[in-house]
Amino acid sequence: MPAKRLSKISIVLLSSALAILVGSATWAWERFGHSSDETYSMQTRDFPLVKESKASPNACALSIKEYKQVGREMQFLLYANASGLAPYTVEITQKGKVLKYSHVPHRAGTWFSVTNLPLTNGPATIRISSENESECETSGVFDFDIKKANELLPIARWIRHGSDDIMLDVRPIQINGKLYLKDFANYQDGRNRVYLIDNIVVEGLDKGLEVKPGYLYSVITCWIDAPYAEWWNKLRNRSIRQQNVWVRGESAAPATSGTLTQIPIPNWFSISRNFNAQFDTTFPEFAPIEGKYTMTYRLNEAVPASNYFKRGITHLPRWEEPQVPRNQLHWTEAMNFFKDRKQEWFASLTRAEVEAHADGAFPSQIYGFDFEYWNNNYTPAVRQRLIWFAERLKKKHPEMQLFDYWGGSAVSNAYFLRDGKIDPAAFKKEYQNPTPTFDNFKPDAQGKRLSDYFSLDPVNVYPRSFISNSPDGLTHNNYLLLSAVHTARINRLFPYQKKDKVIWFAWTRYQPQNDDPVPIWNVKTTAPRGELDFPELATMPASQALGMSLFSLVESDGYLLWHDNSPRGRDVNNYAPDPAREGSYQWFPADGKAGIERFRQNAPKPEPPRYSFYASDYFELGTWMAKQVEDILTGGQKMDLDYRIGNAWRKADTDQAVVSAAQKEPFVLSVVKGNKIAVLAIDSFQKPNALRRLTVKLPNGKEEVIELYGNWPGLYRGEL
């Protein structure tokens, strides 16, 4: 509930909520840590001042100072020595016309906003009155710029999800026919501020960055009281926000280049305006791609499992039984299967005891070991018992496809970057002399190997930390896709894995590291009206999700998109914030009064999501796009293609993924079947708004030009 009177002057906008997010801290000295107290306050020098500002003469001392214009929305910075003043009554007068608004909400951590103002060019007067304190009001004069009013793109053309407070406010504007993303918040407090779009550091977002429509831009903004390369240092004062802005594209014919025709993102594609994924209802129906695995989770409680199988999905999780037959179920077994007991306990079991546990396993067609509390490099005793466990599973369920998430592929994800550098020679050597990462496939006394029972080799493609110490602004994530390609190819070189399928094991959110602070996901509620803020992990860029999906299906044998929730509801007022979990949410009622107990009216129906599931829509989009070249993928031959950079040709070889990563250049893969060809390419290293026209050489020697925008994959098909 809002606090009552404060004994000293404070800024309403920077009250307790914002103090928790970006406020001051006192640190004891540690290496690379703070040596003195430091306070960070918003710098307002870049915003115009309200003229003729009049503060309320009573105890609340409500006043207006700075303001800004965002399209037809006016935002004001309110000051007071009291809280609990919202909602407000607003009266705006311009050229004899009076506009009145009642019950205008305002919460800590935002500017006070009045939207959709039908004003003309020139000055206007605003008067703001508290509806909770009748004598508390303020007024002033501001300038309305009709040119700025018309720059903001109509809301029907774009969708934004993520944080919503004083720190980040990214919206699309259009000037002279060109599209720009602009951060209207321009929040600065003396710390180092860094913008990233789709994993790459960018400049100029506070002024406007030119982009193309038809794409989703994942904006992450970080503040740190040190160089950004020290983001790993939890002793630094760090804050982070994320906003994901999707802009509808315009209808256009697919790009063609002689032989090749692009398979673009279709015009019917869109993300949802709420946090729910929507591919399970909005995508056209299509059968799964022959010979590929597309394993995911049902995301929406109201959508039946059959919708997924009609949209290219091959397997859903075990809890979908009995509605789904077991030959369409997957499961990754975690340590709770063994009651979270340690490897010493497991190593002491007899064969009969191990087999008894195996008999209790759920017989899904796809079954993975996820025993993360054990060492990835299994001890001989653990390895022996896992062989018994796997042997028993296969004996009882011959159709079961087994894999091991933690230690079951010969080579784990290579990651490429080591101490901020790539040693291409070390990775190239692996193609001539592949060496296992672990000893997990050594034979036992009877000559049996754990690999004898596996048929799937997972490649971990969890998004990495967005720390950048590169002069190009690159992060670890820019190397992740090529690292996955390299890892998949090396795993195929081991004789005991040649029979296996390679699947990319994915997650849509960043793996937390270094005690990373997490962004705030903002939810607008309607009954009661207000806003909920949930601290949740950052979500991977849509461009990366689409790239991972397409390359897993074209270069490898598919993906398993892991998820950590059961299906979600759609009622935005059915959240169940737990008051006992301090810091798990913040509630800002529009009337300044409604309590958190007003929620959870429809229990036991499931909660809606607490963050946007747009990345799942893009994994499905990749599945649909790959389906458009299924006739080539099925039985086709994979080969990398030569491409030209400047006047020099890069000749493709078996180690092309390593070369592209080391040189920070594109990667071009093709699949050929008869006279048909599919070409899939990506530039993981160029700026997110850059457009590269790349000349590639087809297997018949013909040269063609393809386009690569930002870090988005480009898929083409044609005839040789």
Side-chain angles (χ1 to χ4, degrees), residues 231-232 238 240 465-467 511-518:
W231 186 259
W232 55 268
R238 303 170 298 169
I240 181 174
S465 173
F466 32 78
I467 300 172
Q511 180 68 44
Q513 295 176 329
N514 313 305
D515 290 332
D516 288 337
V518 296

Side-chain angles (χ1 to χ4, degrees), residues 323-588:
Q323 287 75 22
V324 175
R326 290 178 176 177
N327 65 353
Q328 290 181 293
L329 296 177
H330 70 80
W331 189 245
T332 307
E333 196 76 81
M335 271 297 298
N336 56 14
F337 179 76
F338 295 118
K339 296 182 171 57
D340 293 335
R341 288 176 284 207
K342 303 299 182 181
Q343 66 175 356
E344 291 78 12
W345 166 83
F346 189 71
S348 69
L349 298 181
T350 66
R351 178 164 189 155
E353 289 171 328
V354 170
E355 291 180 345
H357 281 288
D359 290 345
F362 182 82
S364 56
Q365 186 185 55
I366 310 295
Y367 187 91
F369 301 171
D370 187 14
F371 306 143
E372 60 182 301
Y373 295 115
W374 301 349
N375 193 308
N376 291 15
N377 202 13
Y378 303 134
T379 65
V382 167
R383 184 167 67 244
Q384 177 66 78
R385 282 149 184 82
L386 286 176
I387 290 173
W388 295 339
F389 190 80
E391 185 178 21
R392 181 71 169 188
L393 287 173
K394 290 294 288 185
K395 182 177 181 180
K396 294 201 69 175
H397 312 287
E399 74 289 347
M400 183 179 280
Q401 305 295 308
L402 295 182
F403 70 91
D404 185 346
Y405 169 69
W406 281 96
S409 296
V411 172
S412 66
N413 189 276
Y415 202 71
F416 280 145
L417 281 182
R418 293 172 183 172
D419 297 325
K421 299 178 182 178
I422 294 178
D423 178 8
F427 292 105
K428 288 182 178 183
K429 190 184 300 182
E430 296 180 7
Y431 289 91
Q432 283 73 46
N433 184 31
T435 303
T437 304
F438 310 121
D439 295 329
N440 295 341
F441 291 157
K442 284 186 175 180
D444 66 6
Q446 288 73 42
K448 296 178 180 178
R449 300 173 182 263
L450 191 55
S451 59
D452 295 340
Y453 308 99
F454 290 164
S455 54
L456 300 176
D457 299 328
V459 175
N460 183 336
V461 289
Y462 276 23
R464 308 301 187 189
S465 173
F466 32 78
I467 300 172
S468 175
N469 58 2
S470 164
D472 301 321
L474 300 174
T475 68
H476 292 144
N477 284 287
N478 299 109
Y479 298 89
L480 185 57
L481 189 146
L482 293 180
S483 176
V485 171
H486 169 73
T487 305
R489 292 180 173 184
I490 296 299
N491 270 302
R492 295 192 192 101
L493 298 179
F494 293 91
Y496 46 80
Q497 293 186 156
K498 287 185 178 295
K499 69 183 187 309
D500 296 352
K501 300 272 192 177
V502 176
I503 58 169
W504 292 20
F505 202 104
W507 191 31
T508 60
R509 302 204 280 168
Y510 285 99
Q511 180 68 44
Q513 295 176 329
N514 313 305
D515 290 332
D516 288 337
V518 296
I520 309 300
W521 289 80
N522 177 266
V523 178
K524 305 289 192 298
T525 63
T526 59
R529 194 161 65 97
E531 300 176 53
L532 277 166
D533 276 355
F534 294 106
E536 291 282 346
L537 298 176
T539 297
M540 71 188 301
S543 58
Q544 189 178 42
L546 184 61
M548 291 296 180
S549 176
L550 272 172
F551 273 88
S552 74
L553 291 163
V554 175
E555 199 288 330
S556 296
D557 302 298
Y559 61 82
L560 194 162
L561 183 58
W562 188 76
H563 180 49
D564 50 0
N565 283 317
S566 56
R568 291 304 198 181
R570 292 185 179 274
D571 182 358
V572 74
N573 302 311
N574 200 41
Y575 284 100
D578 182 1
R581 292 179 59 204
E582 183 179 357
S584 64
Y585 70 93
Q586 287 184 295
W587 164 235
F588 304 98

Side-chain angles (χ1 to χ4, degrees), residues 128-360:
I128 303 172
S129 305
S130 170
E131 295 183 3
N132 290 331
E133 298 284 349
S134 59
E135 297 180 354
C136 189
E137 69 174 38
T138 184
S139 64
V141 176
F142 64 92
D143 288 315
F144 189 83
D145 187 338
I146 196 65
K147 184 178 179 181
K148 291 182 179 179
N150 296 326
E151 286 178 352
L152 197 65
L153 211 62
I155 190 61
R157 283 198 55 193
W158 60 283
I159 296 170
R160 186 180 73 184
H161 292 312
S163 309
D164 188 3
D165 57 29
I166 196 173
M167 300 184 74
L168 191 63
D169 186 3
V170 180
R171 309 192 201 191
I173 58 176
Q174 197 162 23
I175 302 174
N176 298 326
K178 295 182 178 181
L179 183 69
Y180 300 84
L181 289 184
K182 182 177 180 180
D183 175 24
F184 288 92
N186 193 20
Y187 178 85
Q188 300 178 79
D189 60 13
R191 292 179 294 173
N192 186 28
R193 180 185 65 187
V194 176
Y195 290 114
L196 299 96
I197 297 182
D198 291 8
N199 293 324
I200 294 182
V201 175
V202 298
E203 302 289 342
L205 195 63
D206 52 332
K207 299 177 178 61
L209 189 71
E210 186 177 356
V211 296
K212 289 179 62 175
Y215 299 92
L216 188 151
Y217 299 90
S218 179
V219 180
I220 285 180
T221 310
C222 299
W223 292 263
I224 181 173
D225 61 350
Y228 185 54
E230 280 193 37
W231 186 259
W232 55 268
N233 186 356
K234 65 182 180 181
L235 297 179
R236 292 302 191 182
N237 194 316
R238 303 170 298 169
S239 301
I240 181 174
R241 294 293 182 271
Q242 179 180 21
Q243 288 185 338
N244 309 284
V245 183
W246 175 82
V247 185
R248 182 177 296 282
E250 300 172 352
S251 298
T256 59
S257 177
T259 298
L260 302 176
T261 299
Q262 185 185 23
I263 298 174
I265 297 175
N267 289 326
W268 48 259
F269 175 81
S270 170
I271 66 168
S272 171
R273 287 198 176 272
N274 56 38
F275 281 3
N276 296 82
Q278 64 177 23
F279 71 83
D280 51 14
T281 54
T282 61
F283 268 56
E285 295 184 2
F286 63 99
I289 302 170
E290 183 180 346
K292 304 290 184 179
Y293 290 98
T294 46
M295 297 174 275
T296 188
Y297 290 70
R298 188 164 59 97
L299 301 178
N300 294 306
E301 186 268 342
V303 178
S306 59
N307 279 35
Y308 287 74
F309 299 123
K310 293 176 182 177
R311 288 169 174 80
I313 301 302
T314 60
H315 294 80
L316 289 176
R318 61 174 284 187
W319 55 59
E320 298 296 340
E321 194 190 40
Q323 287 75 22
V324 175
R326 290 178 176 177
N327 65 353
Q328 290 181 293
L329 296 177
H330 70 80
W331 189 245
T332 307
E333 196 76 81
M335 271 297 298
N336 56 14
F337 179 76
F338 295 118
K339 296 182 171 57
D340 293 335
R341 288 176 284 207
K342 303 299 182 181
Q343 66 175 356
E344 291 78 12
W345 166 83
F346 189 71
S348 69
L349 298 181
T350 66
R351 178 164 189 155
E353 289 171 328
V354 170
E355 291 180 345
H357 281 288
D359 290 345

